[in-house]
Amino acid sequence: MFPDYRPRRLRKNAALRSLIRETHLCADQLIYPLFVVPGKNRREEIVSMPGVYRISVDQLAKEAKECLHLGITSVILFGLPEKKDGMGSGAHAKNGIIQTAIKELKNKAPELLVITDVCLCEYTDHGHCGCIINNDVDNDATLEILAKTALSHAQAGADMVAPSDMMDGRVSEIRAILDENNFDSIPIMSYAVKYASAFYGPFREAADCEPQFGDRRSYQMDPANSREALRETTLDIDEGADIIMVKPAVAYLDIISRIRDEFDLPVAAYHVSGEYAMIKAAAEKGWIDGERVMEETLLSIKRAGADIILTYFAKDMAKILRSRR
Ligand code: PBG
């Protein structure tokens, strides 16, 4: 063939390269995670996640405006309650931390899409994602608490709920309680494929949800499995999920790609805390160019097939995208 086709012809300058670019990042398909804490005037950097803060409710409006200004139209909320108990009852408290945060955001920045993480691990004193019966995370007893939690988020004004607990059957339980209470238009973004991953380390510091005994392997997926990811996704879609999520992202690009090929729902990928922290740490040491590695990483997630990316880099990336316009 050579020299009939010369791939370098189309790489000659920036205009040509952008003309044939296959994948694009855009701020409105990035979801920015927010950690909300009780109290006033709090803005505390998370040690293992430089640039990410735990903030109190009164700081949310400012954060929301900044996101919207940068073109980020969605956030996902995580809450740290005043106190924890065995059943995670703070998760569905009427004036709990998340319920209060939702109201504040919908009040001050109504156009921002507010998504809530539905899970119990930040609210249980043992740190597991469900309640414990006979030394085990009890699946069916947990479903009821999760459903109540999702309903309380919808009642506070959440635009979408995102169950991340990995209990069997939680999507249908949540769909049912939302529908019964006239929230049939609230979508569910399910963490359909969530692995038992060591990449969640910094998040557990951020959200104070490290399990006090055992680990999460009896409910989160084995990192060695990919066919199981298809089964999990099929179940969640049958139960009523509107968006399916894969988590973590970079170590599971093959899974994102398979899910994209096999299903036609929107696919989200969670670029998790450890994936963020590794890039930040190496960049701080001067070993990599943090900004370029960030963009390359997010592009790889998009290229693998994710429509939506949840990432702590959302604001950093959006700033760069904005500066190019
Ligand atoms: C709650 C939850 C976790 C994350 C999101 N929701 C922690 C976990 O399952 O241990 C991790 C997010 C991240 O690491 O950025 N279950």
Side-chain angles (χ1 to χ4, degrees), residues 87 131 133 138-146:
M87 302 297 277
C131 59
I133 299 178
D138 192 275
N139 193 87
D140 297 10
T142 300
L143 294 182
E144 201 184 315
I145 313 174
L146 290 167

Side-chain angles (χ1 to χ4, degrees), residues 35 49 78 117 119 121-122 129 164-165 191 194 199-204 209 216 220 247 270-274 312:
F35 297 98
M49 301 172 73
F78 298 94
D117 184 85
C119 193
C121 62
E122 295 113 289
C129 302
S164 74
D165 52 282
Y191 289 67
K194 178 172 176 182
F199 286 102
Y200 308 149
F203 177 93
R204 291 184 187 170
C209 65
R216 302 211 205 288
Q220 298 180 348
K247 177 181 172 191
Y270 202 138
H271 182 237
V272 301
S273 56
Y312 305 98

Side-chain angles (χ1 to χ4, degrees), residues 34-269:
L34 292 173
F35 297 98
V36 192
V37 287
K40 275 221 154 44
N41 209 18
R42 287 177 71 185
R43 190 178 167 82
E44 301 153 357
E45 192 165 27
I46 298 154
V47 176
S48 52
M49 301 172 73
V52 181
Y53 297 80
R54 305 207 280 203
I55 60 175
S56 48
V57 171
D58 57 305
Q59 305 290 306
L60 281 171
K62 206 168 81 194
E63 197 70 37
K65 301 243 155 79
E66 191 188 354
C67 285
L68 289 169
H69 174 73
L70 291 169
I72 298 165
T73 46
S74 311
V75 295
I76 184 164
L77 301 183
F78 298 94
L80 287 92
E82 206 91 58
K83 47 182 192 307
K84 306 178 187 242
D85 61 28
M87 302 297 277
S89 57
H92 52 80
K94 194 157 183 295
N95 294 312
I97 184 77
I98 287 297
Q99 291 76 7
T100 314
I102 297 165
K103 282 181 223 151
E104 171 72 5
L105 281 171
K106 293 316 296 183
N107 197 6
K108 302 277 171 64
E111 66 276 42
L112 186 73
L113 196 81
V114 176
I115 307 168
T116 57
D117 184 85
V118 177
C119 193
L120 303 185
C121 62
E122 295 113 289
Y123 303 91
T124 52
D125 49 18
H126 45 72
H128 278 288
C129 302
C131 59
I132 308 286
I133 299 178
N134 295 330
N135 284 322
D136 189 27
V137 177
D138 192 275
N139 193 87
D140 297 10
T142 300
L143 294 182
E144 201 184 315
I145 313 174
L146 290 167
K148 268 166 87 171
T149 302
L151 177 61
S152 75
H153 293 172
Q155 285 166 335
D159 297 297
M160 175 149 71
V161 293
S164 74
D165 52 282
M166 288 300 276
M167 297 301 122
D168 298 332
R170 89 272 207 216
V171 174
S172 63
E173 201 81 5
I174 291 172
R175 188 68 273 158
I177 200 169
L178 291 177
D179 291 355
E180 280 159 23
N181 289 275
N182 286 325
F183 291 111
D184 43 25
S185 63
I186 299 289
I188 299 175
M189 174 166 72
S190 99
Y191 289 67
V193 184
K194 178 172 176 182
Y195 286 93
S197 169
F199 286 102
Y200 308 149
F203 177 93
R204 291 184 187 170
E205 181 212 323
D208 184 27
C209 65
E210 183 67 27
Q212 298 304 300
F213 62 90
D215 55 41
R216 302 211 205 288
R217 286 176 226 238
S218 76
Y219 41 103
Q220 298 180 348
M221 278 181 55
D222 182 341
N225 294 354
S226 62
R227 290 188 299 270
E228 191 184 351
L230 303 182
R231 282 204 297 284
E232 278 282 5
T233 305
T234 303
L235 283 171
D236 281 15
I237 294 175
D238 288 349
E239 290 179 29
D242 301 281
I243 298 175
I244 45 189
M245 195 200 298
V246 176
K247 177 181 172 191
V250 181
Y252 299 88
L253 293 177
D254 59 321
I255 307 296
I256 297 172
S257 171
R258 275 190 91 174
I259 301 277
R260 171 70 299 152
D261 287 347
E262 302 269 347
F263 302 95
D264 56 8
L265 288 187
V267 174

